[in-house]
Amino acid sequence: MSYIPTSSLQSEEPEPEEYDHFTDEEEFEGYHKGEKPVKGKPGPQPDLKIEKVPLHLRANWEGFYVEILTLAGLAAYALNFFAGRTKNSKLATAWLKSHKELLESNFHIVGDDGQAEEPQQGIMVKESESLYSLWCTGRTGCNGMLVELKLQKRHDLVNVMSYLVKPVKDSITVTVHMTDEEMDNFVFAIVPKKTVSKMQKELQDLSFFCPDKKSGAKYDLPASLVILSESNEVANTLLTQQVTKAISNHEDMFESLLFSDQYVGPKQEDEDQAAAKPLKPKKVLIFNFTVASKGNTKVQDMARLESMMKLVLHCIDRVRKFRLGKEARAKADKNRRELEENLLKQTHLQRQEAAQLRREEKRRADKERMMAEDDPDRQRRLEERVNKAEAKRRNPFKIKQIKARG
């Protein structure tokens, strides 16, 4: 009897087939294996509406025109800023180079910025992109001279566009601070006819000491200028042939001049500042010039202002040598006493008005506190106190009656 191993019997058994989901008829509903799909007309297609893509979502340059314009504007502003700043710097440098020799021959120190302990030379201070200043000192008769170059705001694109509508010229203001001993007491000015009324309203010394106006034609000056003088003696002495000739020959550059021993600046519109202590007047010579250019200032135009600087130096010497006569001096002293009295009265009146306002505010606060009091007795006492203070204010000179003992 032969022995058959168990392993050989197991190997002869048939292996089960792999389960297939796709062949199982019970896996899918409504599926029949032998049926073929029926051919026929297709069913109705769904009504699909395709919307147009909005303009701002399209991938082309037309959708970014706002951003493009913004970037272009910023680029134009930046380019104009650097170009305008560079041009103003060149104009200021050109003016200093063309006038440096003249200034150094008349002043010991030219261009001190005041930053170092020892005086420096040749430094023009840049106050802003359109304002440059130069300080000169070391000349007999004056404490110093400040030159301010007020150029166009070429770095600002908005101002550049406004200049197309309303042109503005580059200007120079020269302020000479005279010593008290070297300048006599008088006020004198040469201003354009179109701005004389405005200047008299803004400047206290012109409005008080020079109410009368005289045409410049009487003194061989252009008819477009007006003479404001405290006395005829001042105008006849200071308006020499050299002065009138310099102004007439350079009418396009001359703007105005002001010689005053009572200069305190423009009138203050703020009442609080006006009520404060009056400013101490200064003895100054102020010159205003414009750069003669046809809309576009060039470097060569700055050198033409040398004749105006010579006029400034000539006027400094004339003012130093000038002395009022006896009658003119007496009139000038009288006018200054009247001005001082008027200022004291005005200051006293303003202080009284300020004190009155403070008292009114205090009474209003006391009444509000009295009305807010809940206790009737305390409210009555506060009311009596307020009424008593009001009666005392109305009759400050009332004397209490004192009974005499018999």
Side-chain angles (χ1 to χ4, degrees), residues 45-51:
Q45 297 293 331
D47 188 11
L48 300 178
K49 294 182 179 180
I50 301 176
E51 296 290 342

Side-chain angles (χ1 to χ4, degrees), residues 125-185:
V125 181
K126 181 181 178 181
E127 306 289 348
S128 65
E129 302 297 341
S130 59
L131 178 60
Y132 294 81
S133 62
L134 181 73
W135 174 254
C136 305
T137 186
R139 178 184 172 89
T140 305
C142 65
N143 295 323
M145 182 179 71
L146 178 64
V147 182
E148 294 178 302
L149 274 68
K150 301 177 182 179
L151 306 177
Q152 296 181 12
K153 296 182 179 180
R154 295 180 173 87
H155 62 284
D156 190 352
L157 184 60
V158 178
N159 284 277
V160 172
M161 296 177 66
S162 66
Y163 295 153
L164 300 176
V165 180
K166 187 178 180 181
V168 177
K169 292 184 178 181
D170 298 314
S171 62
I172 295 179
T173 300
V174 181
T175 305
V176 183
H177 297 269
M178 302 294 292
T179 58
D180 295 338
E181 298 79 11
E182 296 292 343
M183 181 177 178
D184 217 336
N185 297 333

Side-chain angles (χ1 to χ4, degrees), residues 28-46:
F28 302 97
E29 295 181 358
Y31 172 74
H32 301 284
K33 186 175 182 181
E35 295 182 358
K36 296 182 179 180
V38 180
K39 296 182 179 181
K41 295 182 179 180
Q45 297 293 331

